[in-house]
């Protein structure tokens, strides 16, 4: 069933990325690549969620730069801003306003069960803000504001999407049908990319050292160096064996960039050493990122161009958010 508010009858997809650092291969292979695939089939809204990023401290100037960089990278990866909507969350005030309305409806017991909050607050005990606790409510507002049908979610965001659904249903049953209850869309391909130095933990913007993460804008030599130094093990066979997290993670990268079958890859490297494999993987990653990097350069050659695209994106979608917000306020008797 198409979204009743989409002219072409396509279902609507919403997803976001935090500008909390430099975008990396995990973001690309686990999320953005799938966004590109979805864009041909759905009415897609992709949001750079700067309000989510500030739930932990961000240097203000860096945050502004990284927000634009993330938007440009999404477009460079293949999202056409004419066909999909790309915008910065804080450019549409309705996100913050709906968050407040939903805050007043979200039971604190539900919030206390959120595992991401437990993990993140454990890591930064001294500095846990109310905003970090309220992160799932802001995410619910993002999704519900656009009559979203589908939300692509990885393992780590499943609980937040379930929370969004519960909150939408709670609102609808208390105040009357207002929000579309979104469904999760589990990507058919995509993977959890692990760190290069510490393959036991996911590759991340904010965790692990420089050598742990391949950033989308890393120059070729940096990529080669990082892959060369990636942690493996003392064994020799190049096999997709999950019990060997280092080599397994590198093989996943090779698989995702080449699209080759696992048996073909294993056969290709039979009898070869880790050094040969890493050298070939590095070239595959360098070549795989080349088109994205050159498109990024073009898009950012004129520094005002991305801002123009982003303000057009926000202008196009703002009326949807305002209409849904007005309906929610009216239902609650606010205003
Ligand atoms: N290592 C990863 N493997 C696969 N997918 C990943 N994602 C993040 N890291 C990996 C996916 O990228 C999307 C956007 O993520 P986000 O901006 O919400 O940030 P995050 O999930 O909290 O992960 P980061 O990039 O490491 O940021 P920090 O360090 O700030 O927490 C999501 O769909 C996410 O699943």
């Amino acid at each position: 069933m198409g979204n009743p508010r989409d002219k072409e009858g396509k279902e609507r997809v919403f997803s976001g990325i935090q500008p909390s650092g430099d975008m990396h291969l995990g973001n690309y292979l686990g999320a953005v690549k799938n966004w590109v695939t979805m864009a041909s089939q759905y009415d897609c809204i992709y949001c750079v969620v700067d309000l989510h990023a500030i739930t932990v401290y961000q240097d203000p100037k860096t945050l502004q730069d990284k927000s634009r960089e993330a938007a440009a990278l999404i477009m460079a990866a293949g999202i056409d801003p004419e066909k999909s909507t790309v915008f910065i969350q804080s450019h549409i005030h309705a996100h913050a306003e709906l968050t407040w309305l939903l805050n007043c409806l979200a039971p604190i017991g539900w919030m206390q069960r959120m595992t991401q909050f437990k993990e993140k607050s454990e890591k930064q005990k001294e500095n846990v803000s109310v905003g970090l606790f309220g992160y799932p409510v802001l995410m619910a507002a993002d999704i519900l504001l656009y009559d979203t049908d589908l939300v692509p979610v990885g393992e780590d965001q499943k609980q937040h999407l379930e929370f969004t659904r519960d909150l939408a249903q709670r609102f609808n049953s208390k105040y009357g049908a207002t929000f579309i209850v979104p469904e999760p869309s589990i990507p058919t391909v995509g993977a959890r990319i692990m760190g290069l130095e510490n393959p036991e933990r996911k590759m991340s913007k904010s965790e692990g050292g420089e050598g742990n993460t391949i950033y989308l804008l890393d120059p070729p030599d940096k990529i080669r160096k990082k892959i060369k130094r990636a942690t493996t093990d003392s064994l020799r066979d190049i096999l997709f064996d999950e019990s060997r997290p280092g080599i397994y993670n590198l093989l996943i990268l090779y698989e995702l960039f080449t699209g080759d079958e696992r048996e073909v890859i294993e056969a290709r490297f039979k009898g070869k050493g880790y050094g040969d494999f890493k050298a070939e993987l590095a070239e595959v990653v360098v070549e795989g990122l080349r088109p994205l990097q050159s498109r990024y350069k073009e898009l950012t050659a004129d520094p005002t161009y991305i801002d123009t695209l982003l303000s057009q994106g926000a202008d196009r979608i703002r009326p949807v958010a305002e209409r849904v917000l007005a309906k929610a306020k009216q239902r609650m008797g606010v205003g």
Side-chain angles (χ1 to χ4, degrees):
M1 256 287 280
N3 188 309
R5 288 154 187 99
D6 174 56
K7 283 196 288 295
E8 293 174 34
K10 287 183 185 168
E11 288 184 303
R12 185 169 286 152
V13 166
F14 181 97
S15 197
I17 186 152
Q18 298 187 72
S20 47
D22 295 328
M23 269 172 71
H24 52 79
L25 275 189
N27 299 135
Y28 177 61
L29 298 171
V32 177
K33 206 168 161 225
N34 182 44
W35 293 2
V36 177
T37 311
M38 295 190 97
S40 59
Q41 200 183 339
Y42 300 102
D43 173 23
C44 293
I45 304 177
Y46 298 127
C47 183
V48 177
V49 292
D50 55 349
L51 297 176
H52 277 96
I54 56 167
T55 54
V56 296
Y57 176 79
Q58 306 291 332
D59 172 70
K61 174 74 178 82
T62 309
L63 179 63
Q64 280 193 327
D65 293 346
K66 293 294 155 194
S67 296
R68 278 140 192 89
E69 186 178 294
L73 281 169
I74 292 168
M75 295 178 203
I79 300 296
D80 178 347
E82 294 289 325
K83 295 191 180 129
S84 304
T85 303
V86 181
F87 74 100
I88 293 184
Q89 185 183 30
S90 62
H91 290 181
I92 296 187
H93 297 176
H95 290 255
E97 200 171 343
L98 182 60
T99 298
W100 181 255
L101 303 185
L102 296 178
N103 268 337
C104 298
L105 193 77
I108 203 139
W110 293 6
M111 303 287 292
Q112 283 164 334
R113 287 200 286 273
M114 294 296 125
T115 53
Q116 189 181 73
F117 174 73
K118 287 187 204 161
E119 281 167 22
K120 286 202 172 179
S121 56
E122 198 52 39
K123 269 188 250 159
Q124 38 174 44
K125 283 200 178 99
E126 311 303 299
N127 214 356
V128 182
S129 67
V130 174
L132 187 66
F133 186 62
Y135 184 110
V137 185
L138 178 59
M139 180 167 154
D142 297 341
I143 295 166
L144 300 179
L145 269 180
Y146 298 99
D147 289 335
T148 301
D149 300 294
L150 285 173
V151 183
V153 275
E155 218 30 66
D156 50 345
Q157 290 298 330
K158 266 194 195 154
Q159 193 188 28
H160 287 168
L161 185 65
E162 210 38 60
F163 170 86
T164 301
R165 289 169 51 81
D166 290 346
L167 203 55
Q169 275 156 350
R170 189 177 169 88
F171 191 106
N172 289 349
S173 71
K174 236 184 169 93
Y175 296 108
T178 306
F179 297 122
I180 289 183
V181 180
E183 298 288 337
S185 151
I186 311 294
T188 43
V189 283
R192 196 170 161 81
I193 305 301
M194 310 308 278
L196 295 186
E197 289 174 341
N198 182 1
E200 309 275 351
R201 291 185 62 82
K202 72 165 195 161
M203 188 178 279
S204 153
K205 296 194 207 83
S206 54
E207 267 186 64
E210 166 75 18
N212 201 44
T213 305
I214 296 181
Y215 300 106
L216 298 183
L217 294 175
D218 272 349
D221 276 346
K222 218 174 206 176
I223 295 175
R224 292 187 184 104
K225 205 179 274 172
K226 287 179 181 179
I227 291 179
K228 195 170 177 188
R229 291 187 184 157
T231 304
T232 47
D233 51 44
S234 54
L235 301 172
R236 293 161 56 121
D237 295 334
I238 297 168
L239 297 172
F240 283 86
D241 174 357
E242 284 188 60
S243 68
R244 293 160 59 196
I247 191 71
Y248 181 72
N249 188 42
L250 297 180
L251 278 163
I252 293 284
L253 291 181
Y254 191 92
E255 180 189 25
L256 290 173
F257 272 103
T258 59
D260 291 341
E261 298 290 331
R262 293 189 173 191
E263 305 82 72
V264 174
I265 299 170
E266 287 178 347
R268 186 171 302 150
F269 292 104
K270 200 169 164 45
K272 294 197 179 164
Y274 286 168
D276 294 331
F277 168 65
K278 283 177 163 180
E280 201 168 313
L281 171 64
E283 294 319 307
V284 161
V285 174
V286 165
E287 288 313 313
L289 289 180
R290 200 183 290 283
L292 180 151
Q293 294 189 346
S294 72
R295 179 89 187 106
Y296 176 84
K297 242 187 229 155
E298 284 164 26
L299 278 166
T300 53
D302 169 0
T304 63
Y305 183 56
I306 286 295
D307 277 321
T308 308
L309 293 177
L310 287 171
S311 81
Q312 284 169 354
D315 290 348
R316 191 163 67 221
I317 206 71
R318 189 177 289 107
V320 177
E322 287 182 348
R323 180 172 38 70
V324 173
L325 174 66
K327 191 164 154 193
K329 286 171 76 174
Q330 183 247 326
R331 293 267 205 241
M332 291 179 99
V334 173

